[in-house]
């Protein structure tokens, strides 16, 4: 039969063919088609023949065709056919689909819809026909649908709608998505499809997502790009959140909550990102849509925009050159904004309560680095680039004169510093996990260290140090790059050289070639003509000496730069070559001896570094001390009878007619003294632990030590005997810096005072509490004090006391700590000799002053001069000891007692102690933030620092110290007014303010501190401006961490108004005094400026909140399903904004009615008023934005705010502007009047100065008027949108360039009338006695001065 049908079709016998087919049953035709299809023979010819014999003009033909279509679709979907046969069959059905009538097409389409609903689509091959059927359907003019008629397009739309509303089998989602690519759909229909497929994501197996995303990306060529990107990003963000929750909540054993394995999810994400990037390369509109979507989302929830998946996607897109700059700029902006918002929120409890805490951006980016291990190679390059962009853009900037603002790793960071730190972490973590990119990271870091000679590079050196510490062995492969960097050492600044060598120091121990290259470079630098190069050489050699130990050196507990575990392993596997180290060290010392004949700066570096070398490499002691002694002999006077004992002439040199310091003699002595003290200590240690040693060696060492001590003792004796005249430094000496003699004398003074310092320390340490030694110390100090007094007297002429700088003391911080303890806390029976030192009040003041100097140095630079100065651990220990002593001294001996006992010039010891305590607390907060707990435990005066408790509660300890200082301040305030010490009170307030930062804002102690501060402000009526400023600043800084300070501002504004009076002098003000601290002396400018600065902060917070609300509003319009929920979330924020502005508005209402004196207060108040109106305008714009797009409503409280602004602010603003202009014109006229009697030039200068000041201070007035008008303009817009008449509360503006003041006009008219009457009365007398002047008629009438 099949052959017959084929033959009839070939012979074009249509009638025979129709007859033949009519004779056959549908099942027979179906069996025929199936048999041919399975065999793969002539199936196309058979189906064509059947279609020829079943014309669409006949009903039987249509039915047969419909049957063949259905049968072929089932056959193809069954999967029994070969792929090419199935494709042929579908192709044939496509070609014939155009001939089918509409009803048949509709039935076929419904068949497809039912199949999809029923889940009978298996391999999706038959779906290839569906687009053709839909296309042909759309071209039909009329189709029956639900008892009515629809055109083809409408019918197709209904079908797609039905299809997208029904349930899909997850297996057919990819086939359906692919199918829709071939369907001509409108944007609305495409949106249906996109949303439906995106909703299917959670139901699909993760492995199916990449191909589905690929199909969706192809489909997005038709439109709806934003919908697609948003759907993909949201889905993967949710998956990441589920993963995190599962990791944090591992105890939960619910089986249904278990998600996919992490590595599988990461691999899928990586593939999806690759598909998206590939699509963006082909379609740049998709990339533009991605960046637009991310920028819009930045205003809302930042965690959605900066999730790990998103960051990886953006970094991958950054590889496309066209989008590189846009992506990195966006990431820079988003991250710095996130850090700024975080800091802004952290500083205000008001904001913390309203807005939930932001996500941690650093964690998200570092999470991307961690995730990139799972085959995300397309992200790593951009990660490195991002890290360097952050470090380059937000690294420390050079200050004035190229100075770098010193940064501290433990201190609180600015947003820029946080971003820079994040960049460093990205590079370090990427270096750890991605081997191929390591050499590139190292190369780029070294390049920046070497090339950025004018800008700060500390952050790059820190990264390099971290990289070296994390993997020293791996870096050996890149040693050539480090060696290459060494070649540039002699051209780099000294600080860079020191940082670089310290960072790569662990590598020098494991790489001989690197060490040899460095030594070669340093030797060359030692012979350089540039001073900095030689200093770099010294720094490098000293570092090598510290780190290459000679066998037999004592284990030094001070050796803080211990190696990490990985470096220790390196040393274990290497043979320890002590003899080679010894030869190397002796060779280096030989090179360093060259420095002893070079400039003072080079020698100074050597002297400051040798003690550390000796301490870490004790076997070099003899060599080092002999070198130092041979140097000292050049300047030491051997004859005991000769005074002075030191030859100062040899310490200076003349070059080009100028005198310079050649030998820093005091530093040389300081180095010898420190080395000798340590050497004696180490010998003692050896004798105690060593037992019988080599007697000869002991004798040599003993005599060596004895010689040293004799020389120092001799210098001490002779320096005490020497008068200042012996150094040519008596009172008549010239100390001016303009003459050579003056310069020479200044150098001598510094040297002699330094020598006195060193000798005092030497004698105290060597004394063993001997009375004679202490008398020597006092004698040395008296000489020192006499010299310093002469210097102060000479340098103080014509200068303010603060301008004369004290010379930097050479006492070491360890000695200062020891000396203070001995002077103030040592009560031992056998230490009675200390009374010699205690008897000199000047000496005790000197000890505390030097302590202050050391603390200041530590606060500013993070280290101090001398041994242990760079050792953070030891310095911290000394700091604790010093604090304990200063606290005891201040609390035990009140300053009032001290002052009554003895009136002294300058500050008392108690005040110096208090200043020291303040500086220490600031230093600890800035430098040792991670050790605050340890510090508070160690400074306990009662326990005397012994047995420091663990797990100290910081808040409780800080509160204990706060109570001590509160008592001191209350004692000051309760005493007589004459006894009030303003400086002490200010210092106490500063200390309380610093300590209050250690309190937990939510704690009871913090609340007590705030209550106490407010009470002090309310009850004390002191007229001390600085004290008032400090106390009120503390009150505000505390208050803002508990709640918003607007209520305080309102009360203070009322007090200021009451105190200063009204701008209308006829009005009597009701006397109000919430805060006694506000009085005639402090009200203006101190309190007014404080109130205005706080008002500015409140306005900034409100502005920030409004910006947040606007961002949420725009992002909520995208996510319509969350709209109602979002509006309820926004309501409390809106309420808070209106309340803040309302309270602040009443505070401004008081201030602008106050008779504030001309000056900065008026200027700032006008600016803040303009800012207030700008923010009110911003709030109005927010409500306008709320009305666009959907129905909204105006809250009643907002209407009240507008009413309040119309009644209590705007009219008073115009009155205040008039008042300001009046006082300014009086200023000008007063400036002119004051100089009238003097010569013309001075008069003109005074007028010009007064006019300039007026112009400067009235500049904000036009800005304020413009701000008011803008506010009213947008209120009109909002009135139209909301149909609520908000303008009924606003009055017509009156303040313009031309204005008529009714009262002034009436007064002027009355005065004019009175003058005219008087003139008429006088005219008769004048006419009878005086001849008329002809020209009188032509004169101008006399100008009247307008009464203001």
């Amino acid at each position: 039969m099949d052959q017959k049908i084929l033959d009839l079709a070939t012979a074009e016998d249509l009638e025979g063919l129709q007859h033949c087919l009519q004779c056959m049953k549908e099942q027979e035709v179906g069996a025929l088609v199936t048999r041919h299809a399975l065999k793969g023979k002539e199936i196309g010819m058979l189906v064509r023949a059947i279609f020829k014999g079943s014309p669409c003009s006949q009903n039987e033909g249509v039915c047969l065709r419909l049957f063949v279509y259905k049968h072929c679709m089932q056959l193809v979907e069954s999967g029994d056919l070969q792929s090419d046969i199935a494709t042929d069959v579908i192709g044939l059905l496509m070609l014939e689909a155009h001939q089918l009538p509409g009803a048949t097409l509709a039935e076929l389409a419904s068949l497809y819809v039912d199949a999809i609903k029923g889940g009978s689509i298996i391999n999706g091959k038959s779906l290839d026909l569906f687009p053709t059927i839909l296309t042909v359907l759309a071209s039909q003019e009329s189709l029956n649908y639900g008892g009515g008629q629809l055109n083809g397009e409408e019918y197709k739309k209904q079908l797609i709608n039905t299809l997208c509303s029904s349930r899909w089998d997850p297996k057919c989602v990819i086939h359906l998505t692919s199918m829709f690519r071939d369907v001509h759909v409108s944007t609305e229909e495409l949106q249906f499809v996109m949303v439906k497929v995106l909703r299917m994501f959670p139901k699909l197996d993760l492995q199916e997502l990449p191909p589905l995303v690929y199909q969706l990306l192809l489909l997005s060529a038709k439109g709806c790009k934003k919908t697609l990107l948003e759907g993909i990003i949201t889905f993967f963000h949710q998956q990441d959140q589920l993963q995190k929750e599962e990791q944090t909540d591992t105890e939960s054993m619910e089986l249904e909550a278990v998600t996919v394995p992490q590595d599988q999810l990461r691999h899928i994400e990586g593939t999806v990102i690759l598909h998206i990037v590939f699509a963006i390369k082909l379609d740049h509109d998709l990339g533009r849509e991605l960046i637009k979507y991310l920028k819009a989302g930045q205003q809302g929830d930042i965690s959605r925009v900066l999730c790990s998946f998103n960051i990886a996607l953006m970094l991958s897109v950054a590889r496309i050159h066209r989008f590189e700059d846009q992506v990195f700029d966006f990431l820079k902006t988003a991250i710095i904004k996130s850090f700024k918002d975080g800091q802004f929120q952290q500083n205000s409890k008001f904001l913390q309560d309203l807005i939930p805490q932001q996500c941690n951006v650093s964690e998200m980016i570092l999470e991307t680095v961690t995730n990139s291990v799972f085959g995300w190679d397309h992200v790593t390059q951009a990660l490195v680039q991002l890290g360097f962009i952050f470090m380059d853009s937000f690294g420390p900037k050079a200050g004035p004169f190229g100075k770098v603002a010193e940064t501290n790793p433990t201190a609180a960071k600015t947003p820029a510093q946080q971003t820079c730190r994040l960049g460093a972490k990205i590079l370090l973590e990427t270096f750890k996990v991605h081997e191929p990119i390591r050499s590139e990271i190292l190369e780029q870091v070294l390049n920046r260290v070497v090339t950025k000679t004018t800008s700060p590079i500390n952050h790059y050196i820190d990264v390099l140090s971290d990289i070296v510490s994390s993997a020293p062995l791996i870096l050996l492969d890149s040693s050539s790059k480090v060696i290459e960097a060494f070649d540039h050492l002699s051209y780099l600044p000294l600080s860079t050289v020191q940082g670089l060598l310290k960072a790569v120091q662990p590598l020098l121990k494991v790489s001989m070639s690197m060490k040899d290259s460095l030594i070669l470079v340093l030797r060359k630098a030692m012979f350089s003509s540039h001073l900095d190069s030689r200093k770099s050489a010294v720094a490098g050699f000293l570092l090598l000496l510290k780190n290459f130990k000679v066998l037999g050196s004592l284990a030094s507990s001070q050796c803080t730069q211990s190696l990490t575990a990985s470096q220790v392993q390196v040393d274990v596997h290497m043979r320890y070559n002590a003899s080679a180290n010894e030869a190397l060290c002796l060779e280096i010392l030989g090179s360093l001896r060259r420095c002893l004949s070079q400039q003072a700066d080079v020698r100074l570096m050597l002297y400051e570094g040798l003690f550390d070398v000796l301490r870490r490499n004790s076997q070099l002691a003899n060599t080092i001390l002999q070198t130092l002694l041979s140097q000292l002999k050049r300047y030491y006077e051997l004859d005991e009878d000769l005074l002075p004992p030191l030859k100062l002439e040899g310490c200076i040199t003349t070059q080009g007619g100028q005198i310079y310091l050649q030998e820093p003699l005091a530093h040389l002595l300081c180095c010898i003294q420190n080395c000798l003290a340590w050497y004696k200590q180490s010998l003692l240690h050896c004798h105690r632990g060593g037992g019988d040693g080599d007697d000869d060696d002991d004798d040599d060492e003993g005599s060596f030590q004895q010689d040293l001590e004799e020389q120092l003792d001799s210098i001490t004796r002779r320096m005490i005997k020497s008068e200042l005249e012996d150094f040519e430094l008596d009172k008549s000496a010239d100390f001016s810096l303009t003459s050579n003699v003056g310069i020479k004398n200044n150098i001598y003074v510094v040297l002699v005072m330094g020598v006195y310092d060193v000798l005092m320390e030497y004698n105290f340490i060597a004394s063993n509490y001997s009375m004679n030694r202490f008398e020597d110390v006092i004698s040395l100090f008296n000489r020192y004090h006499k010299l310093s007094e002469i210097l102060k007297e000479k340098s103080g002429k014509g200068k303010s006391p603060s301008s004369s700088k004290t010379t930097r003391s050479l006492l070491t911080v360890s000695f200062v700590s020891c000396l203070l303890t001995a002077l103030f806390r040592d009560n031992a029976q056998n230490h009675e000799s200390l009374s010699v030192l205690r008897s000199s009040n000047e000496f005790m003041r000197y000890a505390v002053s030097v302590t202050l100097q050391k603390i200041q140095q530590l606060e500013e630079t993070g280290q101090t001069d001398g041994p242990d100065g760079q050792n953070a651990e030891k310095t911290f220990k000394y700091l604790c000891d010093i604090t304990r002593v200063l606290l005891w001294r201040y609390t035990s001996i009140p300053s009032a007692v001290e002052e009554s006992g003895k009136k002294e010039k300058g500050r008392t010891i108690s005040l110096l102690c208090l200043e020291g305590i303040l500086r220490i607390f600031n230093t600890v907060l800035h430098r040792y933030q991670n050790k605050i707990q340890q510090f508070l435990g160690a400074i306990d005066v009662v326990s005397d620092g012994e047995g420091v408790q663990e797990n100290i509660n910081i808040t409780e300890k800080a509160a204990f110290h706060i109570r001590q200082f509160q008592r001191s301040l209350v004692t000051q305030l309760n005493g007589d007014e004459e006894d009030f010490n303003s400086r002490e009170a200010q210092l106490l307030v500063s200390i309380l303010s610093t300590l209050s930062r250690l309190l937990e804002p939510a704690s009871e102690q913090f609340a007590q501190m705030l209550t106490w501060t407010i009470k002090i402000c309310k009850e004390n009526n002191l007229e001390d401006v600085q004290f008032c400023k400090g106390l009120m600043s503390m009150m505000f800084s505390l208050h803002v961490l508990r709640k918003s300070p607007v209520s305080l501002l309102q009360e203070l504004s009322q007090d200021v108004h009451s105190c200063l009076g009204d701008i209308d002098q006829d009005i009597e003000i009701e006397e109000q005094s919430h805060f006694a601290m506000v009085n005639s002396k402090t009200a203006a400018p101190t309190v007014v400026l404080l109130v205005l600065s706080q008002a500015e902060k409140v306005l900034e917070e409100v502005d920030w909140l409004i910006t947040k609300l606007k961002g949420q509003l725009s992002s909520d319009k995208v996510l319509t399903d969350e709209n109602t929920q979002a509006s309820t979330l926004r309501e409390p924020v809106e309420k808070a904004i209106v309340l803040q502005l309302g309270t602040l508005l009443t505070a401004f209402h008081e201030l602008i009615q106050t008779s504030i004196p001309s000056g900065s207060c008026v200027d700032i108040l006008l600016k803040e008023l303009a800012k207030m109106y700008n923010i009110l305008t911003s709030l109005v714009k927010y409500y306008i934005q709320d009305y666009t797009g959907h129905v909204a409503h105006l809250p009643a409280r907002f209407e009240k705010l507008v009413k309040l602004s119309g009644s209590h602010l705007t009219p008073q603003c115009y009155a205040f502007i008039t008042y300001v202009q009046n006082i300014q014109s009086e200023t000008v006229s007063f400036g002119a009047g004051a100089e009238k009697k003097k010569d013309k030039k001075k008069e003109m200068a005074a007028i010009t100065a007064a006019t300039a000041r007026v112009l400067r201070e009235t500049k904000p007035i036009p800005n304020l008027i413009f701000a008011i008008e803008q506010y009213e303009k947008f209120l009109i817009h909002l009135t139209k949108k909301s149909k609520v008449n908000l303008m009924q509360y606003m009055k017509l503006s009156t303040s313009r360039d031309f204005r008529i003041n009714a009262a002034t006009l009436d007064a002027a008219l009355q005065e004019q009338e009175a003058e005219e009457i008087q003139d008429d009365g006088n005219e008769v007398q004048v006419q009878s006695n005086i001849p008329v002047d002809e020209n009188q008629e032509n004169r101008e009438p006399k100008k009247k001065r307008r009464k203001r």
Side-chain angles (χ1 to χ4, degrees), residues 288-301:
R288 280 192 284 274
E289 203 61 57
L290 172 67
I291 288 171
K292 199 189 296 181
Y293 164 72
L294 293 171
K295 282 182 177 174
Q298 189 184 347
Q299 300 301 326
D301 183 6

Side-chain angles (χ1 to χ4, degrees), residues 95-371:
L95 288 171
E96 294 294 331
H98 296 278
Q99 296 179 24
L100 291 174
T104 309
L105 288 165
E107 190 178 340
L108 280 173
S110 301
L111 192 71
Y112 266 110
V113 172
D114 293 339
I116 291 163
K117 280 182 182 178
S120 57
I121 303 288
I122 299 166
N123 65 11
K125 191 68 185 170
S126 63
L127 284 173
D128 292 352
L129 178 60
F130 195 26
T132 310
I133 291 170
L134 287 174
T135 307
V136 178
L137 256 179
S139 64
Q140 300 293 314
E141 288 181 8
S142 177
L143 290 162
N144 292 326
Y145 182 79
Q149 295 284 319
L150 284 177
N151 67 21
E153 270 302 334
E154 287 295 324
Y155 192 87
K156 184 188 83 171
K157 188 175 179 181
Q158 288 296 337
L159 268 177
I160 291 174
N161 204 348
T162 309
L163 190 59
C164 292
S165 306
S166 61
R167 181 173 294 163
W168 289 6
D169 187 332
K171 292 175 187 172
C172 69
V173 175
I174 295 173
H175 303 307
L176 285 167
T177 312
S178 173
M179 179 270 293
F180 274 111
R181 281 170 48 208
D182 300 324
V183 180
H184 293 291
V185 285
S186 65
T187 310
E188 190 183 349
E189 291 163 355
L190 185 62
Q191 184 77 12
F192 281 152
V193 175
M194 281 281 189
V195 172
K196 173 64 181 175
V197 177
L198 289 168
R199 282 184 182 153
M200 291 298 294
F201 270 30
K203 297 173 185 174
L204 291 171
D205 184 28
L206 269 185
Q207 298 290 351
E208 294 177 356
L209 286 178
L212 178 57
V213 168
Y214 179 71
Q215 293 299 334
L216 281 170
L217 288 165
L218 293 174
L219 185 60
S220 73
K222 297 182 176 186
C224 297
K225 294 177 171 63
K226 185 180 177 185
T227 309
L228 171 61
L229 289 167
E230 189 184 335
I232 294 170
I233 288 167
T234 307
F235 173 75
F236 282 109
H237 177 52
Q238 288 167 352
Q239 291 298 311
D240 286 346
Q241 292 300 105
L242 284 171
Q243 277 281 350
K244 278 184 191 170
E245 284 165 22
E246 197 174 274
Q247 284 170 5
T248 51
D249 193 20
T250 46
E251 294 169 15
S252 169
M253 299 304 286
E254 298 171 14
L255 291 171
E256 60 268 22
V258 175
T259 55
V260 290
Q262 188 186 14
D263 58 344
Q264 189 186 348
L265 175 64
R266 299 292 172 240
H267 284 298
I268 297 297
E269 285 177 341
T271 313
V272 167
I273 288 169
L274 277 176
H275 284 323
I276 296 173
V277 173
F278 183 69
I280 289 174
K281 279 181 184 174
L282 298 174
D283 180 5
H284 285 160
D285 286 343
L286 187 65
R288 280 192 284 274
E289 203 61 57
L290 172 67
I291 288 171
K292 199 189 296 181
Y293 164 72
L294 293 171
K295 282 182 177 174
Q298 189 184 347
Q299 300 301 326
D301 183 6
I302 198 81
S303 65
R304 282 185 184 179
V305 178
L306 291 179
C307 61
S308 173
F309 176 80
N310 248 2
I311 292 166
L313 174 59
M314 282 187 278
L315 291 173
S316 299
V317 170
R319 295 172 72 197
I320 304 168
H321 182 67
R322 185 166 187 170
F323 296 106
E324 184 180 357
D325 291 343
Q326 291 180 57
V327 167
F328 286 128
D329 286 345
F330 168 75
L331 282 171
K332 270 167 62 177
T333 311
I335 282 157
I336 195 82
K337 180 180 179 292
S338 175
F339 281 132
K340 279 178 181 172
D341 287 354
Q343 192 181 50
F344 202 61
Q345 214 170 336
Q346 197 180 353
N347 294 335
S348 168
K349 187 74 170 73
F350 167 68
L351 294 180
Q352 288 168 24
D353 293 342
L354 283 174
I355 305 283
Q357 200 65 34
Q358 294 283 340
C359 62
N360 191 325
V361 183
S362 300
E363 278 180 18
M364 290 191 167
I365 292 189
L366 294 172
E367 190 184 319
T368 309
V369 179
T370 311
N371 294 345

Side-chain angles (χ1 to χ4, degrees), residues 311 315 362 365-373 376-388 390-391 421-442 444-445 463 466-467 470-471 474:
I311 292 166
L315 291 173
S362 300
I365 292 189
L366 294 172
E367 190 184 319
T368 309
V369 179
T370 311
N371 294 345
S372 66
V373 180
W376 294 9
D377 297 337
H378 43 91
V379 175
T380 48
Q381 190 66 49
L383 268 173
V384 173
Q385 207 172 338
L386 183 70
F388 280 114
F390 283 168
M391 291 190 77
R421 178 88 69 83
L422 175 58
K425 282 182 185 169
I426 291 170
L427 291 177
L428 180 60
E429 294 304 316
T430 311
F431 182 88
K432 285 179 182 175
V433 297
H434 289 291
E435 191 178 338
I437 207 113
R438 281 173 182 161
S439 61
E440 187 184 335
I441 293 174
L442 181 66
Q444 288 207 44
V445 170
V463 170
D466 291 340
I467 286 172
S470 69
I474 292 166

